[in-house]
Amino acid sequence: MKRKGFLWMAMMLVAVGLAACGGKPSTPSLPTSSVEIASPTTEEAFANLALEGFKKGGCGACHVIPGVPGAEGTLGPDLSQIAEVAEKRLKSGEYQGRAHNVVDYLREAIVDPDAYVPSDCNGAPCQKGLMPANLSTLLTPAEIEAIVQYLYHRPEETVHATPIETTPVSISASLLSDEEFSWAKQVYFERCAGCHGTLRKGATGPALTPDVTQPKGTLALATIIFNGTPRGMPDWGKQGFFTPEQTEIMAKFLQMEPPSPPEMSLDQMKQTWKVMVPPDQRPSQPQTGRDWQNYFVVTLRDAGQVAVIDGDTYEVVTKIDTGYAVHISRMSATGRYVYVIGRDGRLSVIDLWSEIPQKVAEVQTCYDARSVEVSKYKGELGDFTDRYAIVGCYWPPHFVILDGQTLEPFKIVSTRGYTVDTEEFHPEPRVASIVASHFKPEWIVNVKEIGQIWLVNYSDPRNPTIKMIEAARYLHDGGWDATKRYFLVAANQSNKVAVVDALEGKLVALVDTPAVPHPGRGANWVDPQFGPVWSTGHLGDAAITSIGTDPLGHPDYAWKAVREITLPGAGSLFIKTHPTSPWIWVDMTLNSDPQLARTICVVAKADPSKPYKCWEVANYGRATHFEYNRQGSEVWVSVWGTADKPGQTGEIVIYDDRTLQEKARIPNLITPTGKFNVFNTVNDIY
Ligand code: DHE
């Protein structure tokens, strides 16, 4: 495609626009420039007008735009070769909009972005509604035409525009009222800090410090917050959590310096500590006739509760108040106690041996937490079963060791330190997953932002020894291989899985994977070609990756990504199987397409080249997280609904694992997410 000079074309366009006003439009259905266009007189001025328009529209937040400082976004298509791409699309018949030539195509993309939504945005489907719909009113006609021309010309042909000033302008707190600021602060903490960090330095989601957010601007930020992205950012506006006004408040808040939250001392923790039933008043054997080892402890996220559900009868045995937006539950080594951690750092311990399971102690160990684990080791070095618990906190960045029976906290260890790669101080290295070793009295503590895996020896827990293993940023969730000797953890923003040998106490591999691995605890199975593997889904890619885990029997495949299975979409959070199952189950919970978000797939272990079957589990909500019953014959899937929509709050769907037929539904649960079967959690079966 041969194109003429930038200014020449721009002048032509203005003329076309003028002609259009005279009743002879070149593209009748698409608005072109109007008489108001004050055409700049030099190429540099015209290019600067385009750059000004890009900045005003926040275009660089989502696109790579050559010659535009900081325009490195990857949510939308790369615009470096957009004219060539548009020409191909127009010729191929793929294009479904109203434009007849490249210039009109580019203009339409700005003034009526949903007229045609391309199928490929950097490897993921482009998303309707993500490109702001109000650019035609926000930008002047002259700016729009300047942008169109800028994109139409190859970057090297564009003029030498003066770079736009990118020094962050100071966004003062006066942009928000006190009430708006407190709302945004609280909501950021509750909904956003998990992925982006309390100090907004980024982790599962990108950094949101003012140097990053201010150049993007309020419009681009608000659009992303409202619509979400195909790579896992929730569509808070579309889901009804934020109104457009609240979205704008949040977008402004993100351009301000993040407020620093308070620390928490042992004394403050102890003030929250309550023992409802002291250990000597608890039963010495199970008081229930039910198979308590087949209980499912189910997170009712927005109710701040867990439900204990009988895995044999599907009856909700009880619901217990716990912390806010409960994250996970883990069982003690004997399975008798369940430890439930809320996002607010509140830890509850439930005794399953009571006739009706009940909370026997609670304590708050931080303001923001995601993980809890117990001491599991029993062997030559002692019997630590049901002795200690450990809570991993997001804020303050520390972990806390507690008495396993009473929850009395007694040791705090800060995780602040230096990053694995650049050895820079990080003020907020949060504790992600924690697992208990089966070989030693040790916890494997994954410190997210500094990319280190800490082996914390709890044989003398007031004076713990810690071995710091270098891995990669940002460590998140993971699980054991089938032998429980190797722990595999996602370093999700490095697109890697780190493998630690818990017996030797060392890193054995950093395995490259597709974008943002998110395994939950992963899935162990035997691949017909590669032998024993551990699999993970991905938030950022429509794929399941399997990593060889058998260095003795299959050394050529060990610690390598040996198989990739393509899924219908990205946004996967959890994957699960059982040693006796013919299937691997996977979700796409955070896909921004509502149908895919409630679709699950199964892959046949006998033919893992592609999914065997995918289906929607409900006509609302998101499908998330799988758990097997004790026998391994059923799979339970959560439908994560909306707490205040009666009939659509959520439910659990139970499938026969052999036939894939639906067996039952447990309806009207408030936003069920994680489900933890006692037997499987104690024995790390996944
Ligand atoms: Fe989770 C596990 C952190 C969002 C449900 N989640 C974990 C673990 C971590 C973590 C570190 C591993 C704990 C362990 O094994 O010790 N989760 C985070 C986040 O930081 C993140 C991305 C954002 C946030 O704000 O919390 C996040 N998680 C979610 C959700 O949105 C989910 C789906 C519902 C919810 O609770 O809000 C969710 N996360 C879960 C579940 C597990 C989990 C069910 C346990 C999986 C398992 O099978 O063990």
Side-chain angles (χ1 to χ4, degrees), residues 299-305 323-328 341-344 369:
T299 299
L300 303 181
R301 190 187 180 284
D302 295 338
Q305 293 181 320
Y324 163 82
V326 168
H327 210 78
I328 65 164
I341 188 73
R343 266 196 176 69
D344 55 1

Side-chain angles (χ1 to χ4, degrees), residues 190-195 204 299 301 325-328 330 343 370-372 394 430-435 448 476-478 518 520-521 573-574 576 589-590 624-626 640 673-676:
E190 289 167 3
R191 301 225 176 260
C192 319
C195 288
T204 305
T299 299
R301 190 187 180 284
V326 168
H327 210 78
I328 65 164
R330 295 285 186 247
R343 266 196 176 69
R370 295 294 180 283
S371 51
V372 59
Y394 269 18
R430 300 174 295 168
V431 180
S433 47
I434 306 179
V435 291
K448 189 188 281 279
H476 194 69
D477 51 354
H518 194 288
R521 284 173 287 172
L573 285 182
F574 301 110
K576 186 66 60 93
T589 313
L590 292 190
T624 197
H625 198 253
F626 308 93
W640 178 8
T673 51
K675 303 162 292 301
F676 306 92

